[in-house]
Amino acid sequence: MKSGKKRRHRISDKWAKTNALLGDKGLRLYIPQTRRFSQYTLRSMLEAYGMVYVKPVRGSLGRGVMRVEREAGGGYAYQLGSNRRSFGSFDACYLGIKRDIAGKSYLVQRGIYLLKYEGRAFDLRVVVQKSPSGGFEATGTVARVSYPGKIVTNGSQGGTILPADQVLQPHVGSGQKDAMIAHLERIGIQTIRQLRRRYPGLVEIGLDIAIDSQLRPWILEVNTTPDHCPFAILQDQTMIRRIIHYGRQYGVTYRLNCNKARTLL
């Protein structure tokens, strides 16, 4: 997706965004431990959590993301795309990851076991925009359900887009869905306010939030030029109309070429 009249403020460095958010004590509660990739940090975080994600410092659409985990019996494995490789030792696994990284800068992030919808992991995308009346407002929340066998939920990677309340329904009571979504939206507003302390030009973000089995939210990533296709392909067009309207108020139009994500499981 490309912007029209005005360029949006893009921050591609995930490490810089993470450090900016850690400056807020409230947001710290929702940020999985994240470190720069090295042999030491990978080993120590696997020992601590059993599963981690290795992500490029700069990148989008889920490209280059790896899931690394300890296997029963003492082995290790990592998955990139649909390809999973197993190893008898940590050192062999590390060397395989190093080859796939190919000299680029990567991060290691604590792995969060996502809630599932019909057997497939999902996360939630929360969009926050500058409001025409001043301040910031959450203008849309949607669920992204992973394609079978994939480790990311992005629509560009075959993920399915569904209404947030639909995927939350099996996990929370009907009276709790709205409260949970409202909580996630407050986290989104708090996030853009904190980021603007360092990047005052920001006018919108797309926040990717995981929910674990204890119903605790975790900030996986902050997109500063989010793709709004997940909202454009929903049957209910209320959110995408609001997103487009708000964007126009600060001089941005969106060219939505939405031919990868789907809306039916």
Side-chain angles (χ1 to χ4, degrees):
M1 183 185 67
K2 297 179 180 179
S3 59
K5 299 177 186 175
K6 181 179 179 181
R7 287 186 66 183
R8 290 178 288 170
H9 193 87
R10 181 182 181 87
I11 306 154
S12 58
D13 189 324
K14 296 181 178 70
W15 182 239
K17 288 183 284 188
T18 298
N19 283 314
L21 295 183
L22 287 171
D24 184 292
K25 292 182 180 179
L27 291 175
R28 264 183 238 161
L29 300 173
Y30 308 117
I31 300 174
Q33 184 182 18
T34 305
R35 296 286 184 268
R36 284 197 176 274
F37 176 84
S38 71
Q39 187 172 5
Y40 171 77
T41 55
L42 180 62
R43 187 194 293 270
S44 62
M45 289 179 67
L46 279 172
E47 289 176 355
Y49 304 117
M51 188 268 285
V52 299
Y53 281 84
V54 175
K55 301 180 173 184
V57 171
R58 299 177 185 274
S60 60
L61 305 176
R63 298 190 189 104
V65 176
M66 306 178 209
R67 174 173 164 144
V68 189
E69 53 196 323
R70 299 171 67 182
E71 294 186 310
Y76 294 82
Y78 76 90
Q79 182 172 339
L80 173 61
S82 299
N83 299 318
R84 180 182 171 91
R85 301 179 64 193
S86 294
F87 303 85
S89 69
F90 170 80
D91 288 341
C93 182
Y94 169 74
L95 289 175
I97 293 169
K98 280 282 286 184
R99 283 192 292 270
D100 278 324
I101 284 176
K104 296 180 181 177
S105 296
Y106 269 68
L107 302 174
V108 185
Q109 185 178 79
R110 172 184 175 177
I112 305 299
Y113 292 96
L114 308 181
L115 288 184
K116 293 185 178 181
Y117 179 76
E118 297 188 358
R120 291 161 54 179
F122 71 86
D123 62 19
L124 297 146
R125 164 64 62 89
V126 178
V127 171
V128 180
Q129 295 174 278
K130 185 177 179 181
S131 169
S133 59
F136 291 90
E137 185 177 332
T139 51
T141 301
V142 73
R144 310 184 308 168
V145 185
S146 64
Y147 187 81
K150 289 289 187 75
I151 60 170
V152 295
T153 60
N154 304 69
S156 59
Q157 300 280 342
T160 301
I161 307 304
L162 293 174
D165 57 355
Q166 180 176 331
V167 301
L168 291 173
Q169 176 66 51
H171 303 284
V172 299
S174 55
Q176 293 180 288
K177 286 185 301 182
D178 290 344
M180 176 172 282
I181 292 171
H183 178 48
L184 301 182
E185 291 176 345
R186 286 193 296 272
I187 292 173
I189 293 170
Q190 190 176 357
T191 296
I192 196 169
R193 286 175 175 165
Q194 176 63 17
L195 284 175
R196 276 175 58 89
R197 293 176 182 271
R198 186 172 298 182
Y199 308 106
L202 275 181
V203 291
E204 66 181 43
I205 60 170
L207 191 67
D208 296 337
I209 301 182
I211 307 293
D212 68 15
S213 60
Q214 304 302 310
L215 302 183
R216 178 176 175 175
W218 295 92
I219 298 172
L220 299 180
E221 194 163 326
V222 183
N223 304 275
T224 54
T225 54
D227 178 0
H228 297 310
C229 279
F231 299 92
I233 64 175
L234 287 176
Q235 184 175 2
D236 184 345
Q237 295 282 289
T238 303
M239 288 185 287
I240 190 60
R241 284 197 292 264
R242 181 165 56 239
I243 288 168
I244 290 171
H245 172 69
Y246 278 38
R248 285 176 179 159
Q249 302 309 300
Y250 46 79
V252 173
T253 57
Y254 310 106
R255 297 174 186 170
L256 299 168
N257 301 312
C258 307
N259 55 4
K260 292 184 179 179
R262 61 191 74 188
T263 57
L264 295 174
L265 287 177

